[in-house]
Amino acid sequence: MEPTVLGGKLASSLVAPLVKKLFVTGGPGAALVDRPVRLTSLVSFRGERRTLGEKEVRGLAGRLVADALDSPGERPFPRDQETAVADALTARLLALGDLDMDDVQAVRLGHRELAARLRTAAGPWDGLSADAGHFLDSATEWACLHILEFFTRRSTFVARTLVEQTRGQAELIAKVDELITRVPRPDARDTAFERRYLPYAAEQYNHITIYGIDLRDSPDRWPLEVAYLSLEATGDEERTALPGERAEPEHTVRLAAEHALRTHDRVLLRGDAGSGKTTLVQWLAVTAARDGDRVPYVLPLRTLVRAGTLPAPTAFLTAVGCPLTPPEGWAERVLTAGRGLVLVDGLDEIPAAERHRTRDWLLALIRAYPGNRWLLTSRPSAVRPDWLAGEGFRELALTPMRRADVTTFVRRWHTAARAPEYEGLLLDSLHTKRDLARLATNPLMCGLICALHRERRGYLPTGRKELYDAALTMLLARRDRERGMEAVDLGEEAQLELLQRLAYALVLSGRTEMDVATAESLVERALPSVASAAGRGDAATVLRELLLRSGLLRRPTEGTLDFVHRTFQDYLGARYAVEEGHLDVIAGHAADPHWEDVIRMAVAHARPGERAVLLRRLLAADTPRLTLLALACLEYATALDPTVRAEVEARAGALIPPGSTEDAKALAEAGPLVLELLPGPEGLPDAEAHGVTVTASLLAAHEPAGALAVLRRFRDHPSLDVRRQLVGTWDRFEPREYATEVLDHLDRTALFLTCRTKAQREALPAMGPWSHLTFLGDHPMTGITDCVTEPGAVEELQLVNNTEVTELGDLSVFTSLRLLLVDCRSVRDLGPLTALSLTALLISRTAADPTGLPDLASITHLTVAHRLPGTRLTDSLPAGAPLRYLYLGEDAIAGTGLRGLSRWETLEALYLTPSTRLTDEDWAEVRRLPRLGILYLHSSLFPDSIGTMPTLPGVDDLNLIALDGAQDVSLLAPRLPDVRTVALQPAPGARLDGARLAALFPGAEVTLG
């Protein structure tokens, strides 16, 4: 029971006087003396001015308890415990005289803490039930509320509070003055040096270097601020559960890597080879130096350990070759003041024996200079997960780059390298070539791919052997050597031999992870045949070295290992299979999609004769997927029997490009492999261009990035079918990206853009204006008007299957609107549309029965599907409108028939799908239309309504809808003597005898569609 609840059961007017009796009146003056006003001098049952004894306090407590029991409502505890509760409350009230504090201190505590002090002073009280104990605690807190209120109303309290505050401020000022005297301010020499050092550090680390690449025209250094990419880091964080919640000791958090030190002063950052650890260190140093809030020290351990002794702060700069000489003691003063940012890079790059010494050195610095920020980087397998956890270090891990990160990196790389002409080509390759995309997951590999692509003038077939060879050489040997590290124990060839055996074992097992024990046994069997590995230790030692330095293996969990990229596993596994002559094994797994990359890599490694055998095995299966896989392998076959190459190209040429929608759908069933084989629009007939876009659209669910790259090539295509396909596949992609990459580039002529989701609606402002828009589903009117940034450009608008829109007044912002489709069942009034100059209005049969339609005098094309009120068409349709086209749905004329139709002498086309029989009177109205030349008749008119149809001279265009073959079309020929064109539309699934039907209209052009 909270004190406020208890207060509701007892009148304050009764309780306040009772509590007030506990204290003496008056007081010891203004208390402007050193001696505080103690509670013992205020209570009325202690001291010289005693007015109450313990008996009287017992009586006051008893009255409080009795009044609570007698108040209306449920009793707070059983009545037989009334005496015990009153005794316990008495003891707590009497404990006021035993508290060693004054009234100001009591008010600072608050009523809850004061009650807790009284409970402690009075001691425990046994024998109470849970309800009685809860009431006792609540009554104590409630009484303390009144006690504190009494203190604050004493005439001396405000004066004493001010005195206390003044004394506290004076004491604080004295302590601050003492602190200032103990911490010396940096002198002018420190300030002058930092004005030189900070710009030096900002410039020194403001570049990125790619190691291990031999390229003639690609730079190996470029400005960090241009190319830096913000990567993401993850880590586990403790979470304190609230009362009543299930305990959750840890949860994973994600944050931008450069923000790692914002909430934690000590961070151990792990990342695989090339993941961007060193680049992040440089970025933190550059930003700190430019901001001036921290003094950065970049300490690469591979450089520091060469000196034998790890440096003290005074030697931080000289240890890394900084040419500037700081004032004596400057570094210590910086760290003592807590202004340092110490960035220790590359724990994995020093020998294992040095790592514990490095740990001791780092911890000694932290303990000697608290308050600074410390970052240590390492590869994941260098030290155990909890290596620094006990010292307050938060562990984070850099995550692989996402597709958006890769795109950003490529664009910034080409900007820095001043090679924008190659950017788009490489992005298309990264999006369509799956094995290449899997390789580009960190800045190192992305940089390598960019450089090789530029070196080859934009021609970098995905997965070409040269790319993997360059990547492996860089990771296995050159990168460490060119960064100035000591020579590694295992050579490149020895590492390759061991790695490819591990890779082949994983490929055969169909897995991507392996137990460490299994890996050790494979290495142990291989060691006798690897001469350069002899004498390097046992299998476990060699495997640990591969894990740490190769950059290709990692340990995702304790006791398992895998390759950092599946691409490297497939490449090395195929290399070993070819060396061992296991082509039959590879060909035997061709039907398994997981072996696609292994087969392509095997073709790259194989000799020409072996390639021919493998490709013929693929063709022999005679399936679209394996035929296309053979085609994909050709780019890896630098030397191949020309007969085999021609056969592969001929067989695949029958599949790509698809010549029809049916062919496109069949091609898509071959899987995402197809995307990298689809051609661009150059030289394709419109039908094949349309087929390519259909195939790519269907594969978007499996490879959205690759499908988008294909469709992007067709965004300038003039074909209406192609453009409609590009518009219609919006739903399969991220709305904003597809809008900016594809839709915004389309020729809008004759195109409706359909928005189905809120995300698509919100992407509209990212594009230029569209004149034809459709909003499908429930979109609020404000959402529709707000997302169209240029409403004056909209000429045609369709609101389809919308239950949210109830009124159309807000459409007045579309000042150029000419066509409007309203499929909104909640709309009741079309009157607001008179503010627009509409020429075409389509009202769905799902819409309600709106009013205001007769007032729309500018309409020339009208579609009505809902039932019209009144007895004549002139009762509900706009009598003054110059209608030229009129569609009357199946329910529209159920009550009116066609009575009054002849009022619109301007009608040129009439579409009839009535659900009721047309009478002679109805047909007479049609016959009186002087300009009627186009007639649409639904199959529902046969035979009854057609039987009463008169001769209609002047109708030269006949359209018959939803024919199933049972209709007697011969009835129409004599009634339409002037007909020149006849279009026959079959019902779904129906098959019509076109020749027989055409014979019924010998003087007309008959089409079946």
Side-chain angles (χ1 to χ4, degrees), residues 79-142:
R79 184 173 288 278
D80 59 1
Q81 292 193 331
E82 177 180 358
T83 301
V85 172
D87 291 342
L89 182 57
T90 300
R92 292 185 179 181
L93 294 177
L94 290 172
L96 277 169
D98 299 324
L99 296 182
D100 185 20
M101 66 176 66
D102 59 32
D103 54 347
V104 175
Q105 292 171 332
V107 173
R108 285 178 186 166
L109 286 178
H111 71 280
R112 296 184 188 278
E113 182 60 26
L114 180 60
R117 298 286 182 93
L118 293 179
R119 287 195 296 271
T120 302
W125 199 271
D126 299 328
L128 295 181
S129 65
D131 289 342
H134 187 57
F135 173 85
L136 176 61
D137 290 341
S138 298
T140 306
E141 289 189 16
W142 179 70

Side-chain angles (χ1 to χ4, degrees), residues 634-775:
L634 290 184
E635 66 175 293
Y636 303 90
T638 54
L640 179 65
D641 183 342
T643 304
V644 176
R645 184 182 296 274
E647 184 181 357
V648 172
E649 292 174 344
R651 293 275 294 275
L655 301 172
I656 295 178
S660 66
T661 300
E662 291 70 24
D663 291 343
K665 292 178 179 178
L667 181 60
E669 292 178 359
L673 167 71
V674 172
L675 288 171
E676 61 190 78
L677 303 174
L678 291 174
E682 296 79 11
L684 292 183
D686 288 353
E688 292 182 353
H690 178 249
V692 170
T693 57
V694 170
T695 300
S697 299
L698 293 173
L699 290 171
H702 305 283
E703 291 283 345
L708 178 61
V710 173
L711 296 177
R712 188 190 296 113
R713 303 174 195 160
F714 291 81
R715 64 191 187 186
D716 297 321
H717 203 283
S719 167
L720 180 59
D721 286 340
V722 171
R723 291 185 288 121
R724 282 176 174 167
Q725 179 63 34
L726 295 178
V727 168
T729 196
W730 191 11
D731 294 344
R732 302 171 188 262
F733 298 91
E734 195 283 319
R736 181 172 291 272
E737 181 182 26
Y738 192 79
T740 56
E741 294 291 327
V742 177
L743 297 178
D744 196 30
H745 300 267
L746 296 177
D747 176 4
R748 268 79 153 162
T749 304
L751 279 186
F752 261 97
L753 181 66
T754 300
C755 291
R756 290 176 170 82
T757 66
K758 179 181 178 183
Q760 289 179 337
R761 196 175 72 227
E762 293 175 344
L764 274 180
M767 296 185 283
W770 284 78
S771 59
H772 297 56
L773 285 172
T774 297
F775 291 90

Side-chain angles (χ1 to χ4, degrees), residues 117-401:
R117 298 286 182 93
L118 293 179
R119 287 195 296 271
T120 302
W125 199 271
D126 299 328
L128 295 181
S129 65
D131 289 342
H134 187 57
F135 173 85
L136 176 61
D137 290 341
S138 298
T140 306
E141 289 189 16
W142 179 70
C144 288
L145 276 174
H146 284 271
I147 291 169
L148 298 183
E149 174 70 12
F150 171 77
F151 289 161
T152 59
R153 294 191 179 188
R154 288 168 52 82
S155 61
T156 64
F157 183 78
V158 173
R160 291 202 61 257
T161 301
L162 293 175
V163 171
E164 290 290 333
Q165 290 178 349
T166 302
R167 291 171 177 166
Q169 290 173 354
E171 183 179 355
L172 178 60
I173 291 171
K175 289 181 178 179
V176 171
D177 289 341
E178 182 179 357
L179 181 61
I180 291 175
T181 59
R182 290 184 178 181
V183 181
R185 298 169 56 191
D187 58 20
R189 290 187 306 153
D190 287 359
T191 303
F193 175 74
E194 289 178 20
R195 287 175 181 166
R196 297 173 59 209
Y197 173 70
L198 294 179
Y200 164 81
E203 180 62 27
Q204 173 70 9
Y205 300 111
N206 186 29
H207 64 269
I208 293 178
T209 301
I210 290 186
Y211 296 95
I213 306 177
D214 288 327
L215 300 175
R216 293 186 300 274
D217 300 322
S218 295
D220 62 353
R221 292 161 64 97
W222 57 85
L224 178 64
E225 64 226 3
V226 174
Y228 178 73
L229 178 70
S230 176
L231 297 178
E232 191 175 66
T234 62
D236 292 331
E237 199 169 75
E238 293 185 358
R239 179 182 183 277
T240 302
L242 297 174
E245 288 187 332
R246 182 173 58 87
E248 297 180 10
E250 290 184 348
H251 71 296
T252 300
V253 295
R254 294 178 176 269
L255 72 161
E258 64 268 25
H259 297 163
L261 289 169
R262 287 192 177 179
T263 56
H264 290 74
D265 288 340
R266 305 175 188 179
V267 171
L268 171 58
L269 182 70
R270 298 178 186 264
D272 293 318
S275 59
K277 301 183 297 297
T278 299
T279 303
L280 174 63
V281 165
Q282 293 178 217
W283 181 255
L284 292 173
V286 170
T287 53
R290 289 179 174 174
D291 293 343
D293 58 340
R294 293 271 172 173
V295 177
Y297 301 97
V298 177
L299 304 175
L301 285 172
R302 62 179 177 274
T303 301
L304 302 184
V305 295
R306 293 177 193 156
T309 302
L310 294 170
T314 55
F316 276 180
L317 299 190
T318 56
V320 296
C322 176
L324 303 179
T325 302
E328 184 177 355
W330 167 76
E332 290 191 2
R333 288 193 292 274
V334 169
L335 295 178
T336 301
R339 297 193 299 121
L341 173 63
V342 185
L343 305 166
V344 184
D345 186 32
L347 181 66
D348 57 283
E349 297 177 354
I350 60 176
E354 298 286 342
R355 290 173 198 154
H356 285 288
R357 183 165 68 92
T358 300
R359 182 178 184 271
D360 295 339
W361 164 76
L362 180 61
L363 294 181
L365 289 173
I366 291 174
R367 291 162 185 160
Y369 303 104
N372 297 282
R373 292 179 179 173
W374 310 80
L375 177 74
L376 176 64
T377 72
S378 174
R379 291 189 188 181
S381 56
V383 291
R384 66 178 186 272
D386 58 347
W387 197 62
L388 285 173
E391 305 299 332
F393 272 78
R394 180 190 191 186
E395 288 205 10
L396 296 174
L398 286 174
T399 60
M401 294 167 64

